[in-house]
């Protein structure tokens, strides 16, 4: 009975978890061997101003907050489903995994990484950038 409860709890927690996306190439560390160039970006991205980049990142932050809220709202539901699944030994069909929200967050992280690199390429963090 205890093993079933632990397995159910592990499944419920896994349903809430989101794996980390791949790390982008290292362009900014002291020991970085790669350098950014215009060929690393789309022509549309190269047309963005530093202000445009910051605005897009602000909008993404709000969208990510909303998506994370949806996932967190289901966390308690999933924990309850895991508890009852362990107690009564039936499948956890009630678990809500939020695959769409997690996929959107992963895509947003990729875009955020691109925008961060673009800010570095355009030298947006300097007063003249």
């Amino acid at each position: 009975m205890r093993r079933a409860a632990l397995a159910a709890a592990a499944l419920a927690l896994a349903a809430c978890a989101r794996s980390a996306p791949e790390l982008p190439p290292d362009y900014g560390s002291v020991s970085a061997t790669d350098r950014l160039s215009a060929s690393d970006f789309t022509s549309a991205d190269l047309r963005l101003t530093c202000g445009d980049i910051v605005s897009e990142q602000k909008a993404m932050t709000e969208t990510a907050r909303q998506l994370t809220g949806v996932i967190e709202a289901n966390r308690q539901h999933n924990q309850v489903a895991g508890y009852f699944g362990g107690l009564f030994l039936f499948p956890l069909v009630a678990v809500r995994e939020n695959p769409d929200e997690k996929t959107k967050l992963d895509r947003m992280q990729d875009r955020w990484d691109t925008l961060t690199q673009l800010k570095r390429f355009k030298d947006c963090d300097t007063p003249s950038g």
Side-chain angles (χ1 to χ4, degrees), residues 27-44:
Y27 294 110
S29 73
V30 173
S31 60
T33 56
D34 296 326
R35 298 287 176 239
L36 289 169
S37 70
S39 65
D40 292 317
F41 305 100
T42 65
S43 58

Side-chain angles (χ1 to χ4, degrees), residues 72-127:
E72 289 176 354
N74 288 332
R75 184 171 290 142
Q76 183 177 5
H77 171 85
N78 292 343
Q79 289 170 342
V80 170
Y83 172 77
F84 284 115
L87 262 178
F88 300 112
L89 301 175
F90 61 82
L92 297 176
V93 295
V95 172
R96 299 176 187 158
E97 294 186 11
N98 304 97
D100 293 338
E101 289 82 359
K102 291 175 184 179
T103 299
K104 287 177 186 173
L105 284 169
D106 287 344
R107 285 189 196 130
M108 287 176 58
Q109 183 62 56
D110 289 341
R111 180 65 181 155
W112 186 276
D113 291 341
T114 298
L115 292 173
T116 300
Q117 292 171 352
L118 186 60
K119 282 171 69 175
R120 180 177 290 124
F121 179 73
K122 290 186 168 228
D123 206 18
C124 291
D125 293 328
T126 61

